[in-house]
Amino acid sequence: MNTRQLPKAQESLADYVNRQREALGLTRIALAERAGIHKQSLGKIERGQTQTLNRRTLSSLSKALEVPMDYLDAVVRGQAGELGPSLKFCPQCWQAGTAPDPIWTDPRSQYCFMCGTGLQNACGACGEPLHSLTFRFCPHCGQPYKQASTATDS
């Protein structure tokens, strides 16, 4: 993970987006096109006139800035980013919409301590690394993180 992407303590959404855009060498117009948002909307974000983002804008802006959605969430909430433990989940035990078990995020953890299933740290469909387990679906490909189990004959 690139530490330049981390939100700084007390950094506003405007400052963070502007800093990330400049680090990528993008103009405002180029970033707006890349994110699929109107250039005036991006201008309002960078001028500090917009303090919150809807999920669609948050997702598209995080992709365009090449930062995890959690970082933008942290900035919106006024929290400094931290290089935290890697995000992993058990495809058998994890319940969609709940936080992963803390033991799964231990760097040494490779298997679920409850069922023995291998932990996943990326979308099973597209391979994109996990940035958040707030939702059941991968923001990049739209597939569910947890595949529905099928009944098998005994």
Side-chain angles (χ1 to χ4, degrees):
M1 184 64 61
N2 188 338
T3 56
R4 82 150 167 85
Q5 296 175 329
L6 286 171
K8 297 177 181 176
Q10 307 305 315
E11 186 171 31
S12 69
L13 177 63
D15 292 338
Y16 182 74
V17 170
N18 188 49
R19 181 168 62 88
Q20 296 307 316
R21 178 183 59 76
E22 289 177 353
L24 291 170
L26 297 172
T27 64
R28 283 188 183 105
I29 293 171
L31 178 59
E33 289 173 358
R34 194 175 187 183
I37 61 176
H38 197 277
K39 64 183 179 181
Q40 290 177 337
S41 297
L42 180 61
K44 287 181 179 182
I45 292 169
E46 287 199 354
R47 286 190 305 275
Q49 295 172 328
T50 299
Q51 303 299 318
T52 60
L53 302 174
N54 65 39
R55 297 310 291 177
R56 183 184 117 353
T57 302
L58 185 72
S59 175
S60 62
L61 195 55
S62 72
K63 287 178 205 171
L65 290 172
E66 301 173 13
V67 299
M69 279 180 39
D70 290 347
Y71 286 9
L72 283 175
D73 272 336
V75 172
V76 168
R77 289 190 313 269
Q79 300 171 332
E82 300 173 1
L83 283 175
S86 62
L87 187 58
K88 296 181 266 188
F89 73 100
C90 172
Q92 295 296 317
C93 299
W94 174 68
Q95 293 298 314
T98 63
D101 191 293
I103 196 130
W104 297 339
T105 60
D106 185 302
R108 298 169 294 177
S109 294
Q110 295 181 11
Y111 300 94
C112 177
F113 71 98
M114 292 184 284
C115 72
T117 301
L119 299 176
Q120 288 184 276
N121 63 357
C123 173
C126 71
E128 183 68 26
L130 297 177
H131 299 300
S132 172
L133 287 173
T134 304
F135 301 102
R136 306 183 312 165
F137 300 96
C138 174
H140 299 278
C141 70
Q143 295 298 310
Y145 286 128
K146 186 173 179 177
Q147 297 301 319
S149 32
T150 57
T152 58
D153 294 338
S154 302

